């Protein structure tokens, strides 16, 4: 009996070996992570990816992927985030900044060879506006889209909207091949059913097309042979993989399993020796302290004087030590890369802090600092940053108790304006300074600090000026006034703008950080 | 009593046993659903804000449509009964994060974890039986001491740290194994039959894919095995020591049977039941407890899915994971109970 078992096992082993030796279907042998010209480039990043349907996307990895597959009306070139440039179309606006006319560049085609028309633009934008539960829906709020002729589309707003050119660069507002998408269930209302098709296929005019999408593992894109724009594909294939741990991204890059790592910390990129390229830049996120001005919430700390005491008590350079390469000290609520940002930040002034503290009526009470402890931003962990703040404030006579909690728990009291003193972050909805106006009195973030328009009517007027401006110069001037006033008397203390560290092997060129799509896959090419 | 009658009787006993277990399992599953669902309801935090993010959650129309789409505008008890009703049709709901059916998400995540867990248990079982038996036979001697120290180290070293260490050593420095993920980025996953890439590649006749998948499995299996081997080895040693002192084991040796026959035919057979229980528990633990190892090796399994679902307050996905883990444990317990009967006739009779 035992002999027959042994024979059976041996036979099975032989059959298996023969099967494997003889089989040749499926994959062929290849080198992972090769990045030769025209080959494959492998990018590791921690996925925040929910769909490849532009109309439903509003997460970072989605932006990165969709920017490679789809064109938008306008775009940002390279690392710039201030001046939208023509992509599929050129733009003209009226003097009131309420009408924006886009003319599609001649000769632009989708990946199936059909021309890009005004109907495609109207369908794509109206689709985003019509899918009510889409995360990107808010981008189209207040914008009306009309076709002028086959090559021209007009976007209209009721009030001046100088941020509109920046908004239409967002990959969520990509232009889709309307005929193809409609064939697969696409509509411009909530009945739209094209998501599942768009998660497996693409209908864009960008340099790459979608080959496969696995939300947990990887996205594979291949070169669009019909692409006729300016950003020619640098590779035949781009693979974006989900690698959640930055330590694994680092090991993969060093071991040759990947070519690009997106989420490395400042310390990790320092450990990369020769043979690698690093691009460290300030992100568009701002980490800030919130000091609630509502007496019912903040009690003794709910005063502008206490906010000033905190502002001047901190040593911002020492805080920056915790945040790694690419990070910069915050100069205000608007990050440095956007128009209107302050050129210099606050410097520590303990005498001024103590004077303000005395004026505030604070008398050594314990102050609770609330913050999310599971959501690092740009590699910056909140707990050590909060500890450093606690230590510096103690030296200035302010007693702080740390109160960390998971993001999902902590965000509720934050948005409901129930936190007296907290550490939070803010990033732009789109690459424009207007994304930071919510810090103003009576605005979304301002109200979270119990700061009403009545509390600071001058600054509230600056918000209105920036919103209503009809010329870029006037708008930028209003942003500057706003940023300066916020830094002097707002209930927020901006701390740092965390860095972002992109790294690649030396075989890859074109590593560029962009505020909206993080890594520009279009610019990658083999050296 | 004829053999046929005895066979039918045993068959009826087994069917009764399985029927009882099925009824118990259904009650248990309902309890799991109730508890998991309740936890997702009482957990602080707003799932809509977590899912939509800052920009979209400022748009009342989007928030209202989102609540309606996922039934969050309904009272809790209606949501619960609707959920249970859908469950009876095999519908676990739709993930608020991926927008896909949760059953489809789990159908990809569970086999990914099951593949490393199964191989880890097989490796662990094989190694632990050998080491544990050896340690028991050499009780108090150097071999025993060495094995005990090694297993103590295996238990003490954090799995997460071991994963990072082995990955840096065997992948980055020595290039002995493949990189992270289930397969190399340039390969195409096999057509899904079992969800186990190694088996599916084999069924598809794809040797390149098969060996690539094996290369990617090696380290996660090794790391998970190290901890499980340590636990099992110590348990096997204890069980074998107990059996070695039994009369029948001493009698077998006194009869002059070879050491191998005594070990295989008497000692291990006698120690099999408790070992089997622990192997079952270890398999269940591996299936539901691989979050950290999956994170290091970028393995798209159940642990990763559960972590992301919890972080994003994807309530139905969390409930789905709880349910699937409950089902896994129930199935494992059932299999272990049936194997008890196979291995020990006394269990069958009782």
């Amino acid at each position: 009996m035992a002999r027959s078992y042994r024979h059976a096992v041996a036979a099975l082993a032989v059959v298996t070996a023969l099967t494997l030796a003889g089989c040749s279907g499926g994959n062929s042998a290849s080198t992972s992570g090769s990045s030769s010209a025209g080959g494959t480039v492998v990018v590791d990043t921690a996925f925040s990816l929910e769909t490849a349907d532009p109309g439903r996307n509003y997460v970072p990895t989605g932006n990165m992927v969709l920017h490679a597959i789809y064109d938008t009306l306008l775009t940002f070139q390279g690392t710039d985030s201030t001046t939208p440039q023509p992509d599929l179309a050129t733009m003209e606006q009226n003097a009131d900044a309420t009408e924006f006319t886009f003319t599609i560049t001649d000769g632009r085609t989708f990946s199936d060879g059909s021309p890009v028309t005004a109907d495609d633009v109207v369908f794509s934008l109206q689709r985003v506006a019509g899918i009510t539960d889409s995360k990107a829906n808010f981008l189209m709020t207040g914008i009306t889209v009309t076709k002028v002729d086959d090559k021209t589309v007009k976007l209209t707003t009721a009030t001046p909207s100088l941020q509109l050119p920046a908004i239409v660069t967002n990959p969520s507002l990509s232009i889709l091949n309307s005929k193809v998408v409609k064939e697969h269930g696409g509509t411009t209302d909530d009945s739209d059913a094209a998501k599942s098709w768009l998660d497996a296929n693409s209908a864009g005019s960008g340099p790459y097309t979608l080959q496969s999408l696995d939300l947990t593992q990887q996205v594979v894109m291949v070169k669009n042979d019909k692409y006729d724009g300016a950003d020619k594909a640098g590779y035949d294939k781009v693979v974006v993989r989900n690698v959640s741990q930055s330590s694994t991204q680092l090991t993969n890059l060093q071991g040759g399993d990947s070519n690009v790592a997106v989420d490395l910390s400042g310390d990790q990129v320092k450990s990369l020796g020769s043979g690698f390229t690093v691009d460290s830049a300030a992100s568009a996120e701002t980490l800030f302290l919130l000091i609630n001005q509502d007496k019912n919430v903040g009690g003794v700390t709910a005063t502008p004087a206490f906010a000033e005491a905190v502002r001047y008590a901190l040593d911002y350079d020492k805080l920056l030590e915790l945040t790694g390469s690419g990070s910069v000290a915050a100069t205000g609520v608007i990050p440095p890369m956007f128009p209107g940002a302050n050129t210099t930040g606050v410097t520590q002034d303990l005498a001024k802090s103590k004077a303000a503290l005395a004026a505030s009526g604070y008398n050594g009470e314990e102050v609770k600092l609330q913050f999310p402890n599971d959501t690092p931003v740009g590699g910056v962990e909140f707990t050590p940053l909060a500890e450093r703040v606690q230590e510096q404030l103690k030296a200035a006579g302010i007693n702080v108790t740390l109160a960390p909690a998971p993001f999902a728990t902590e965000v509720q009291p934050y948005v409901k304006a129930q936190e007296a003193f907290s550490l939070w972050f803010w990033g732009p909805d789109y690459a424009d300074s207007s994304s930071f106006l919510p810090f103003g009195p009576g605005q979304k973030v301002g109200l979270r600090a119990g700061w009403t328009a009545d509390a600071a009517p001058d600054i509230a007027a600056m918000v209105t000026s920036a919103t209503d401006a009809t010329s870029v110069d006037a708008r930028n001037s209003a942003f500057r006034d706003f940023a300066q006033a916020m830094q002097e008397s707002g209930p927020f203390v901006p701390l740092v703008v965390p860095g972002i560290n992109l790294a690649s092997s030396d075989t890859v060129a074109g590593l560029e950080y962009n505020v909206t799509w993080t890594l520009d896959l279009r610019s990658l090419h083999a050296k | 009593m004829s053999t046929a009658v005895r066979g039918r009787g045993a068959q009826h006993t087994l069917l009764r046993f399985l029927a009882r277990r099925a009824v118990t399992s259904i009650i248990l599953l309902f309890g799991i659903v109730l508890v998991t669902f309740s936890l997702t309801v009482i957990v602080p935090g707003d799932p809509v804000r977590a899912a939509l993010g800052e920009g979209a959650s400022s748009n009342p129309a989007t928030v209202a449509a989102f609540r309606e789409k996922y039934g969050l505008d309904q009272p809790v008890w209606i949501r619960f009964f609707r959920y249970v009703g859908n469950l009876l049709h095999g519908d676990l709901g739709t993930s608020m994060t991926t927008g896909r059916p949760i059953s489809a998400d789990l159908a990809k995540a569970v086999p990914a974890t099951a593949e490393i867990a199964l191989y880890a248990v097989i490796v662990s079982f094989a190694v632990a039986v050998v080491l544990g038996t050896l340690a028991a036979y050499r009780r108090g001697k150097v071999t025993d001491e060495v094995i005990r120290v090694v297993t103590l180290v295996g238990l003490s070293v954090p799995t997460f740290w071991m994963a990072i260490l082995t990955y840096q050593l065997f992948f980055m420095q020595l290039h002995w194994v493949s990189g992270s993920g289930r397969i190399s980025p340039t390969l195409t996953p096999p057509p899904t039959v079992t969800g186990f890439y190694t088996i599916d590649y084999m069924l598809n006749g794809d040797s390149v894919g098969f060996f690539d998948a094996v290369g990617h499995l090696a380290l996660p299996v090794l790391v998970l095995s190290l901890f499980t081997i340590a636990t099992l080895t110590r348990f096997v040693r204890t069980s074998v020591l107990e059996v070695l002192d039994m009369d029948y084991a001493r009698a077998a040796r006194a009869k002059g049977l070879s050491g191998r026959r005594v070990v295989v035919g008497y000692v291990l057979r006698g120690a099999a039941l408790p070992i089997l229980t622990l192997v079952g528990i270890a398999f269940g633990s591996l299936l539901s407890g691989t979050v950290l190892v999956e994170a290091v090796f970028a393995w798209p399994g159940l642990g990763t899915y559960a972590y992301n679902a919890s972080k994003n307050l994807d309530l139905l996905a969390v409930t789905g994971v709880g349910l699937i883990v409950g089902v896994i444990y129930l199935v494992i317990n059932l299999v272990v109970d049936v194997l008890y009967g196979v291995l020990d006739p006394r269990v069958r009779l009782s």
Side-chain angles (χ1 to χ4, degrees), chain B residues 48-82:
Chain B
V48 177
R49 176 167 288 281
L52 289 179
E54 186 75 62
S57 57
S58 305
N59 187 349
T62 300
V63 171
F66 193 85
R67 283 190 182 282
E68 187 187 348
K69 182 177 178 181
Y70 291 100
L72 295 169
D73 56 341
Q74 299 294 321
V76 172
W77 63 273
I78 288 183
R79 279 160 50 196
F80 179 71
F81 283 111
R82 193 177 283 174

Side-chain angles (χ1 to χ4, degrees), chain A residues 118-184:
Chain A
D119 290 328
D120 297 311
V121 176
V122 172
F123 171 79
S124 302
L125 300 185
Q126 287 185 343
R127 182 169 176 265
V128 179
I131 306 173
T132 323
D133 69 352
S134 162
K135 285 185 179 182
N137 176 277
F138 80 101
L139 290 173
M140 289 299 295
T141 302
I143 301 174
T144 306
V145 189
T146 48
K147 175 182 172 182
V148 177
D149 58 41
D150 283 349
K151 285 285 177 188
T152 315
V153 171
K154 188 180 285 183
L155 271 60
T156 314
T157 57
T159 54
S161 182
L162 281 173
Q163 66 270 30
L164 188 140
I167 292 174
V168 299
T169 66
N170 196 294
S172 299
L173 302 186
S174 294
I175 306 307
L176 284 65
N177 185 331
S178 60
K179 184 169 173 287
V180 172
V181 176
K182 281 176 185 172
E183 282 170 5
H184 294 93

Side-chain angles (χ1 to χ4, degrees), chain A residues 73-278:
Chain A
L73 290 173
L74 303 179
T75 191
F76 287 112
Q77 292 295 336
T79 58
D80 178 60
S81 56
T82 60
T83 315
Q85 302 289 334
D87 191 2
L88 274 177
T90 55
M91 186 199 78
E92 288 179 6
Q93 69 182 65
N94 68 355
D96 294 338
T98 54
E99 285 184 8
F100 301 83
T101 306
F102 293 89
T103 305
I104 299 166
T105 310
D106 285 337
R108 294 306 310 274
T109 59
F110 289 110
S111 56
D112 66 352
S114 59
V116 180
T117 67
D119 290 328
D120 297 311
V121 176
V122 172
F123 171 79
S124 302
L125 300 185
Q126 287 185 343
R127 182 169 176 265
V128 179
I131 306 173
T132 323
D133 69 352
S134 162
K135 285 185 179 182
N137 176 277
F138 80 101
L139 290 173
M140 289 299 295
T141 302
I143 301 174
T144 306
V145 189
T146 48
K147 175 182 172 182
V148 177
D149 58 41
D150 283 349
K151 285 285 177 188
T152 315
V153 171
K154 188 180 285 183
L155 271 60
T156 314
T157 57
T159 54
S161 182
L162 281 173
Q163 66 270 30
L164 188 140
I167 292 174
V168 299
T169 66
N170 196 294
S172 299
L173 302 186
S174 294
I175 306 307
L176 284 65
N177 185 331
S178 60
K179 184 169 173 287
V180 172
V181 176
K182 281 176 185 172
E183 282 170 5
H184 294 93
T187 66
T188 55
D189 55 32
D190 284 325
S191 67
D192 179 89
K195 178 180 177 292
S196 57
W197 188 83
L198 286 167
D199 279 347
N201 306 274
S202 55
S205 57
Y208 292 97
T209 59
L210 180 69
Q211 185 180 67
S212 67
L213 169 83
D214 183 327
L215 297 176
T216 57
Q217 292 193 71
Q218 63 182 30
V219 184
V220 182
M221 290 164 278
V222 292
K223 183 181 176 183
N224 172 12
D225 291 326
K226 299 236 168 55
Y227 180 70
D228 49 18
D231 305 319
K232 302 291 181 201
Y235 291 95
D236 288 338
K237 187 186 272 190
V238 177
V239 181
V240 181
R241 297 193 306 184
N242 182 19
V243 180
S244 62
Q245 296 295 308
S246 62
S247 60
T248 306
Q249 287 185 26
L250 180 69
T251 309
N252 284 348
L253 183 64
Q254 290 175 317
D257 195 47
S258 70
N259 308 113
V260 181
V262 174
D263 306 297
L264 300 186
S265 70
D267 290 337
Q268 285 171 327
V269 292
K270 278 182 193 162
S271 73
L272 285 168
S274 59
F276 299 96
T277 304
V278 174

